[in-house]
Amino acid sequence: MQEVFTKSMARNIYYGGSAFFLLLFLALTLDTHQAWPARDNHQNITEQVAAGKRLWERNNCIGCHTLLGEGAYFAPELGNVYKRFGENKEAIKGFIKSRPVDGIPGRRSMPQFNFTDAELDEIVEFLKYTSEINTENWPPNIQG
């Protein structure tokens, strides 16, 4: 049994496949938009969280760190750093403040930013906020 594959058949497969995948794309987009409100944690955005985000951007933290998988991979993931430090705000502030001024010779290390206590509170609140976003268990382990 030999069938001929015609241009008409190819065109129908092309259009049918295109329509199918367009509808699939639209359905997945709609599903994503419906899931966002339950996952985005927007109700916990405060002025202090927003100020911490501005501080994060102003100091280009994403130039070294990743946040929820986005950014550079030079330094650790910070999307779960609040949980990693046992939800201890003082431990995070102490870690940031303890960075050596000149770094550690031969090793990569975080620079000393000389943040004020208010700025440290803001950045910690921002990191706390990001750790409470429902990321469907990303990163897969506590160490990022």
Side-chain angles (χ1 to χ4, degrees), residues 1-126:
M1 178 173 162
Q2 183 178 4
E3 289 189 32
V4 177
F5 191 71
T6 65
K7 286 184 180 181
S8 175
M9 293 169 67
R11 184 178 53 245
N12 290 340
I13 291 171
Y14 173 77
Y15 287 132
S18 296
F20 172 77
F21 284 106
L22 177 65
L23 291 173
L24 179 65
F25 174 75
L26 292 174
L28 291 173
T29 301
L30 178 64
D31 180 61
T32 300
H33 281 274
Q34 290 174 340
W36 273 342
R39 296 180 58 188
D40 72 356
N41 196 28
H42 70 278
Q43 68 278 5
N44 291 332
I45 296 176
T46 63
E47 184 52 43
Q48 199 171 27
V49 170
K53 173 74 161 88
R54 287 190 295 272
L55 190 64
W56 168 272
E57 291 171 348
R58 189 169 51 247
N59 289 285
N60 191 30
C61 298
I62 206 156
C64 295
H65 292 279
T66 56
L67 188 64
L68 305 178
E70 295 293 323
Y73 291 95
F74 182 74
E77 162 72 39
L78 295 182
N80 64 352
V81 73
Y82 184 74
K83 292 176 183 171
R84 195 178 322 144
F85 275 77
E87 300 184 3
N88 184 341
K89 294 179 182 183
E90 294 305 315
I92 297 171
K93 289 193 275 189
F95 182 84
I96 294 170
K97 285 172 28 177
S98 71
R99 303 292 74 204
V101 175
D102 295 329
I104 301 169
R107 290 186 58 195
R108 60 184 183 179
S109 63
M110 188 170 129
Q112 176 55 263
F113 287 103
N114 297 313
F115 292 133
T116 65
D117 286 338
E119 289 174 328
L120 284 169
D121 288 337
E122 292 166 352
I123 197 76
V124 169
E125 285 301 315
F126 172 66

